[in-house]
Amino acid sequence: MKVGITTPRGNVGSKIVRRLISDSEHDLVLLDHRPEKSYETYGDTVKVTNCDITDLDQLIESTVDLDVLYMVVPPSNSSDTYLQDFIEQGKKFRDAVIANAIPRVVFQSSYGGHLPYGTGPIVGLFHVEQELNRTAASVVHLRACYFMENFLWFKNPIDEKGIIPLPVKAESKTIYNSTDDIADRAVSWLTSDKWSGKIIDEIHGENLSFLEVAKIISRKVGKDVSVFELTDEQSIEAYTQPHIGFSKHYAKLFNELHRGIDNDLLVAEFNGNELSGVNVGFEAFVETAF
């Protein structure tokens, strides 16, 4: 099969590429706006097409004759028009799928992707899902949960102050995924031609409070670590600092996401089942990442 991969150097995309790169049954096409970077990363055994996915003409040209396309809308945390950017990108993905009659699409979405409000940046993914559903393609909306890797952002405050500064209550719970499990699930869809229709695949996992996460990290780093709940105002001030670089618009969405967790709005659409198991638990992740 001819498999197209957007964001081939991203947190998940890079792991998908590495899982597929040695598989001679599949012809990989990497869509990269800086193709030289993909060649540096993966060598010249892969085909890389120069593609800025925000340019519809380039996107259409780069996705000709694909059997399946893995789609990600890369977040731009510094954008003042974040949600509108996502909506517009969804329309471009839709148009490319229609123009090239791409038969299958695997779209990396998020839990909460069924909600049109109240989930911060995930609202953008809701709109992309809707656009892809308007095509004739078979589509898997691969809904990952809260990335374990998000906590790597906090290595410095953990080391320096023993805190995880977030606009969320320590007792609030959510479901966690590792990017390895997301990549594994994506590869299972990308390499199969035995599915059709519009499918929602939620990757479930451990349901932990942020307090429980802090305790797991505490045991690994050998010091007390606590969740420092930021007010919305404190969060906006902190995350718009130049060394972090969120726009005020995105910082507000970031707050909304975490308050959605507090209020039990941001939840998975479906209960876990035998297909929603994962391989990487939070303790195992922390053991290798911290």
Side-chain angles (χ1 to χ4, degrees):
M1 287 196 299
K2 192 172 183 181
V3 182
I5 307 290
T6 64
T7 63
R9 293 180 286 111
N11 289 331
V12 178
S14 61
K15 293 183 177 183
I16 292 172
V17 173
R18 294 196 184 282
R19 283 159 170 75
L20 293 176
I21 202 166
S22 60
D23 189 341
S24 59
E25 293 184 12
H26 304 292
D27 180 15
L28 286 187
V29 179
L30 310 186
L31 282 64
D32 196 335
H33 70 292
R34 299 185 65 186
E36 73 280 1
K37 292 295 183 180
S38 276
Y39 282 124
E40 287 175 13
T41 303
Y42 305 115
D44 57 6
T45 60
V46 296
K47 177 182 177 181
V48 185
T49 179
N50 185 359
C51 179
D52 176 353
I53 63 170
T54 66
D55 184 312
L56 179 57
D57 290 337
Q58 289 185 28
L59 184 60
I60 291 173
E61 182 179 353
S62 298
T63 54
V64 171
D65 293 332
L66 291 182
D67 295 301
V68 62
L69 175 62
Y70 173 74
M71 288 183 173
V72 180
V73 183
S76 179
N77 301 342
S78 61
S79 173
D80 291 319
T81 55
Y82 185 96
L83 286 182
Q84 189 60 38
D85 296 344
F86 262 64
I87 292 169
E88 292 303 316
Q89 187 61 53
K91 293 176 181 177
K92 290 171 185 174
F93 278 156
R94 175 203 65 199
D95 290 348
V97 170
I98 292 172
N100 289 319
I102 300 172
R104 289 184 178 83
V105 171
V106 177
F107 172 57
Q108 184 180 310
S109 188
S110 170
Y111 75 136
H114 60 296
L115 297 171
Y117 60 88
T119 61
I122 296 171
V123 172
L125 296 171
F126 164 84
H127 286 284
V128 179
E129 286 193 12
Q130 300 308 304
E131 294 297 340
L132 293 175
N133 285 344
R134 294 185 175 99
T135 72
S138 292
V139 181
V140 171
H141 299 298
L142 188 60
R143 290 185 184 164
C145 294
Y146 203 98
F147 281 25
M148 296 178 187
E149 282 81 358
N150 288 350
F151 290 92
L152 298 178
W153 297 350
F154 304 112
K155 278 192 168 183
N156 284 342
I158 287 170
D159 290 342
E160 296 170 5
K161 300 180 180 179
I163 62 170
I164 300 171
L166 279 169
V168 72
K169 292 179 171 60
E171 297 78 13
S172 294
K173 286 190 169 188
T174 193
I175 305 169
Y176 294 93
N177 297 150
S178 74
T179 54
D180 281 304
D181 278 324
I182 300 165
D184 286 340
R185 188 68 64 83
V187 167
S188 72
W189 289 109
L190 291 168
T191 56
S192 172
D193 59 2
K194 306 300 183 185
W195 55 275
S196 62
K198 303 297 193 286
I199 299 169
I200 296 169
D201 182 13
E202 287 183 337
I203 308 176
H204 296 144
E206 290 177 287
N207 189 13
L208 300 171
S209 70
F210 286 82
L211 177 60
E212 289 172 310
V213 166
K215 288 180 178 178
I216 292 170
I217 296 173
S218 294
R219 291 195 292 271
K220 171 59 178 175
V221 300
K223 64 186 291 185
D224 288 338
V225 177
S226 62
V227 179
F228 184 84
E229 183 186 351
L230 300 172
T231 66
D232 288 352
E233 292 76 15
Q234 288 172 327
S235 176
I236 291 170
E237 181 178 357
Y239 282 97
T240 55
Q241 294 298 309
H243 67 286
I244 297 178
F246 285 8
S247 67
K248 189 172 183 179
H249 168 66
Y250 183 80
K252 289 180 178 179
L253 295 174
F254 185 77
N255 288 349
E256 183 177 273
L257 182 155
H258 288 89
R259 299 309 176 195
I261 294 173
D262 284 341
N263 299 327
D264 293 324
L265 175 66
L266 179 50
V267 295
E269 185 174 7
F270 305 105
N271 293 327
N273 56 53
E274 68 276 7
L275 298 179
S276 62
V278 298
N279 296 313
V280 182
F282 209 98
E283 293 226 26
F285 164 74
V286 170
E287 189 62 34
T288 57
F290 278 80

